[in-house]
Amino acid sequence: MPLANTLPDQMDRMAKAVILGTGSCLPVRTVSNADLERMVDTSDEWIATRTGIRQRRIAGAGEQNYQLATKAARRALAMADISPEELELIVVATISPHMLMPSTACFVQAELGAANAFAYDISAACAGFTYGLDLARNYIQNRPDMKILLIGSETLSARVNWEDRNTCVLFGDGAGAVVVSGATDGRGVFGSNLRSDGTLGNLLSMDSPESCNPDLRREEWHGAFIRMSGGDVFKHAVRLMEDSVTTLLRRHNLTIDDIDLLIPHQANIRILNNLRERLGIAEERVFINLSQYGNTSAASVPIALDEACRQGRMARGDIVLFCTFGGGLTWGSLLMRW
Ligand code: ACO
């Protein structure tokens, strides 16, 4: 049943998940398309026209996944004016965890000294941040005073085959974080539409290391790297994100004209332009920073959100739409009153 039609008075009084602070952290080293020309058979012209990416950040010493995540978290905590001890939950969305165990979230907890929190990772590829925000929203509905740190953080440069020009030009490293708590003043997350389709998992995948999975010990195993059927991913990404957004808007009796800012997953400018045209949303109401960072998977939306926030792109009361798509397949959209 549409959310907007169920017990509207009760829904309005319920605490909603609001973002108290945002932060991000990008590695210091920039790798341009020209740098990649010296590594694989590619060109700045090919990469820029096919993807919109001009450069990406690549992690170096002291920039492990959890270290980028911790720096992003400190910035979000500072904006929120929340101390690490006040956090009750830390969630890190990542497909490039620092280790398989402990979770990257536990590393972040230790770095921050967030002694009162429980911490765990979630894996939903490029849709990780929207899945995580929906998760936080559900905790907040039960415990509105809870302070939750949600981070999207990736060091995909370690999971990319730098000899494969089909994939290595697309990805970058980075982290974005938000501090979430509850409010009853009408702001906050008021709808989400998350989906997965495991039957299409082969279109975009990343093996675990051979040592972790004996089934992988076969001749055709090419490493624990991202593999992708680019054309298929492209088509599904545009269609499924459009479907997710239009369904969500319809559920809430909204149209695309009600959206003040769309913050999409930053994968590819042609995917975003296609999506924009299909949805009928003006360029100036879509936040895009893809040319600078490439595809940072779960980190892309929180990095974009932090930049949008610090640039003053959202005013209090604005309706912000998030929209993501990634391996799994996983995808979804989420509506928030800022
Ligand atoms: N430089 C030069 N040539 C290249 C490169 C490169 N880096 N990569 C591929 N090519 C070549 C291919 O080998 C192919 O050559 P051929 O015709 O001789 O075989 C040619 O370019 C065309 O390849 P296509 O795959 O048809 O190129 P396409 O126009 O589809 O663009 C791309 C490829 C950019 C990957 C596109 O399919 C795409 O954007 N897909 C979406 C993938 C994506 O964004 N994935 C990220 C993860 S999913 C997500 O986050 C949404």
Side-chain angles (χ1 to χ4, degrees):
M1 186 180 286
L3 192 65
N5 297 340
T6 58
L7 305 170
D9 292 345
Q10 259 179 315
M11 296 301 297
D12 285 348
R13 281 197 301 272
M14 274 170 69
K16 296 191 185 73
V18 292
I19 290 177
L20 303 180
T22 66
S24 59
C25 178
L26 280 309
V28 174
R29 183 176 161 222
T30 296
V31 173
S32 67
N33 291 347
D35 294 327
L36 290 179
E37 285 177 4
R38 291 186 281 278
M39 296 164 66
V40 286
D41 181 14
T42 190
S43 66
D44 173 47
E45 196 269 334
W46 194 97
I47 302 170
T49 54
R50 302 286 178 122
T51 72
I53 299 166
R54 297 266 171 202
Q55 59 182 46
R56 68 286 293 143
R57 302 292 187 86
I58 299 296
E63 294 177 328
Q64 302 280 4
N65 185 329
Y66 76 92
Q67 292 169 316
L68 297 173
T70 302
K71 281 189 185 159
R74 287 194 206 284
R75 289 168 189 161
L77 288 166
M79 188 191 283
D81 198 18
I82 297 284
S83 72
E85 293 77 18
E86 290 175 79
L87 292 173
E88 286 183 66
L89 170 61
I90 300 173
V91 176
V92 175
T94 186
I95 51 167
S96 50
H98 181 58
M99 290 172 68
L100 293 180
M101 184 176 70
S103 66
T104 302
C106 280
F107 276 98
V108 172
Q109 178 193 20
E111 290 288 306
L112 291 176
N116 300 310
F118 65 108
Y120 60 91
D121 290 355
I122 59 169
S123 170
C126 308
F129 183 77
T130 40
Y131 276 42
L133 196 49
D134 191 60
L135 189 110
R137 169 199 188 199
N138 281 291
Y139 278 105
I140 293 299
Q141 275 174 6
N142 282 333
R143 287 267 323 281
D145 59 335
M146 206 171 171
K147 305 282 185 296
I148 301 172
L149 175 63
L150 169 64
I151 306 171
S153 184
E154 304 282 11
T155 44
L156 284 172
S157 59
R159 307 309 303 272
V160 156
N161 178 355
W162 288 99
E163 293 176 357
D164 175 15
R165 69 176 183 174
N166 290 293
T167 52
C168 77
V169 302
L170 301 175
F171 299 97
D173 300 333
V178 294
V179 177
V180 180
S181 194
T184 51
D185 57 5
R187 293 178 302 132
V189 178
F190 62 93
S192 66
N193 179 21
L194 304 181
R195 301 288 305 278
S196 312
D197 185 352
T199 66
L200 296 173
N202 61 319
L203 298 182
L204 187 56
S205 62
M206 180 163 55
D207 276 334
S208 46
E210 234 179 343
S211 55
C212 295
N213 183 354
D215 286 350
L216 296 173
R217 289 188 199 127
R218 49 177 199 252
E219 249 174 48
E220 70 272 24
W221 189 73
H222 296 299
F225 300 129
I226 293 172
R227 283 176 297 149
M228 182 185 71
S229 173
D232 290 324
V233 169
F234 193 108
K235 276 181 250 156
H236 285 295
V238 173
R239 186 176 58 80
L240 294 174
M241 281 197 287
E242 181 200 9
D243 178 66
S244 171
V245 168
T246 51
T247 303
L248 182 62
L249 291 176
R250 207 177 318 118
R251 266 187 214 162
H252 291 275
N253 298 320
L254 296 172
T255 73
I256 199 70
D257 296 333
D258 295 309
I259 302 303
D260 296 292
L261 191 66
L262 165 61
I263 303 184
H265 169 50
Q266 314 280 317
N268 180 308
I269 196 67
R270 291 188 300 148
I271 291 178
L272 294 182
N273 285 342
N274 263 275
L275 180 67
R276 212 168 42 71
E277 280 161 26
R278 282 171 176 238
L279 291 175
I281 185 167
E283 212 171 338
E284 58 273 16
R285 287 191 285 133
V286 184
F287 192 88
I288 298 180
N289 61 4
L290 165 82
S291 65
Q292 300 304 301
Y293 309 131
N295 181 348
T296 58
S297 193
S300 92
V301 169
I303 292 170
L305 173 61
D306 182 44
E307 293 195 348
C309 184
R310 287 172 196 271
Q311 290 169 20
R313 291 286 297 269
M314 289 94 71
R316 196 183 171 96
D318 276 0
I319 298 183
V320 181
L321 171 65
F322 300 98
C323 181
T324 55
F325 179 90
L329 299 178
T330 54
W331 70 96
S333 50
L334 192 137
L335 280 164
M336 166 172 237
R337 190 173 284 283
W338 191 251

